[in-house]
Amino acid sequence: MAIAPYANRYVCDLVAYEPGKPIDETARELGLDPATIVKVASNENPLGPSPLAKEAMRRELENSHIYPDGGGWKLRNAIANKHNVDISNVILGNGSNEIIELLCHSFLNPEAELIAAEHAFVVYKLMATLFGAKYVEVPDPGFVHDLDAMADAITPATRLVFIANPNNPTGTTVGQAEIDRFLARVPDHVVVVFDEAYYEFFDDAPDTLRYVREGKNVCILRTCSKIHGLAALRIGYGFAPAGLAEILQKARQPFNTNAIAQAGALAALEDTAHVARTKAVNAQGLAFYEEAFRQRDLEFVPSVANFILVKVGDGDRVFKEMLKQGVIIRAMRGYKLPDWVRISIGTPDQNARCLEVLDSVLAAAVV
Ligand SMILES: *Cc1c(COP(=O)(O)O)cnc(C)c1O
């Protein structure tokens, strides 16, 4: 019997998120050794997990029979101390993606609107759809969020505005002055979400925590998935004024983040050496690609994050052809950028291999 007509329409209508293609799946399909595959598709840390986190997680394995601290006290306390806010301002998520969902759970419904930039992280749109809300997409000339236009788009029905800074997949940023000006225009019925998944890569990142301390209706999202190299663990965190954080806490499951991930995150946040190494490798890789794309006359979007968007013609074709040679990148049709691909910055070896394979695929196109 067809059950779909009885299911929640918003769930059935959802177009599933398409993640970067997994290494094992690719290896199976191509009959290749997984070790030879280069995955530069999901903005993961090419140096691997924080070594300090690995140690802490091994120790924590011994307690796997005990439920985690559902309140995540140790980790939240450490995050609060590090950022000079109160523990009541800190929320943990099963990845920062879960906090995006908690925000939508708390504020969206079929009468509500969510505002985001045209080329913003696609999960915002998926979540708005899931909760039956209206998704309002604001043009972003030059791939940069237009905060004045986003403020203009606010209506009495607006509940959430997402600002990804730096944004994924564009790697572009907005600065302090623009954000200050924007926030001054935001009415009280709107929560502004600063998605700062790539914060640590962004040297001149605006200070958004000050808005939390001032009690503005903002939520800041950070993650251990990117610079800390813990994407598999699914752990992220957020900051919000206590009243807002309390609402989000109510919307989560009692044990939403697991004990291994909490222990790993706690250690990773203190692993300044791993963060520094990662930043250095990333800066070198970004410079490598920018130089290479300039030499080849390929249009790209200058990025401050750990990935770069480059215009290659038929992005789906380039993705498929590179995949055949064991290099996984990301096609951007889902972002309405069919001519572009996004490449995550890897190790120098991975970058060289990726560029070589890209060259061979682009050369094949002209014949
Ligand atoms: C990768 C990413 C995240 C992080 O997701 P997690 O659930 O923490 O792994 C959040 N926002 C953006 C824009 C991202 O690119």
Side-chain angles (χ1 to χ4, degrees), residues 43 94-98 100 121 124 164 168 195 197-198 223 225-226 234-236:
N43 307 339
N94 198 274
S96 55
N97 268 277
E98 189 196 19
I100 298 173
F121 188 42
Y124 313 144
N168 171 18
D195 186 341
Y198 305 94
T223 183
S225 298
K226 305 287 158 58
R234 312 305 306 126
I235 186 132

Side-chain angles (χ1 to χ4, degrees), residues 23 57 79 81 92 141 148 152 237 247 276 280 288-289 314 362:
I23 291 177
M57 292 190 289
I79 292 169
N81 286 338
L92 304 181
D148 293 326
D152 290 341
Y237 53 101
I247 294 169
F288 168 82
Y289 277 118
D314 182 348
L362 291 180

Side-chain angles (χ1 to χ4, degrees), residues 19-21 39-44 198 226 306 330 342 344:
K21 205 168 163 69
K39 183 184 182 222
V40 280
S42 302
N43 307 339
E44 290 140 339
Y198 305 94
K226 305 287 158 58
N306 63 346
R330 200 71 160 263
R342 191 194 67 197
S344 304

Side-chain angles (χ1 to χ4, degrees), residues 107 111 134 139-140 148 151 154 167 174 228 231 249 275 277 279 315 318 339:
F107 291 98
E111 280 79 53
K134 182 171 167 197
D140 50 1
D148 293 326
I154 293 174
N167 181 44
V174 284
H228 301 295
Q249 295 282 12
V275 168
R277 272 194 304 272
K279 280 191 72 160
V318 169
D339 295 340

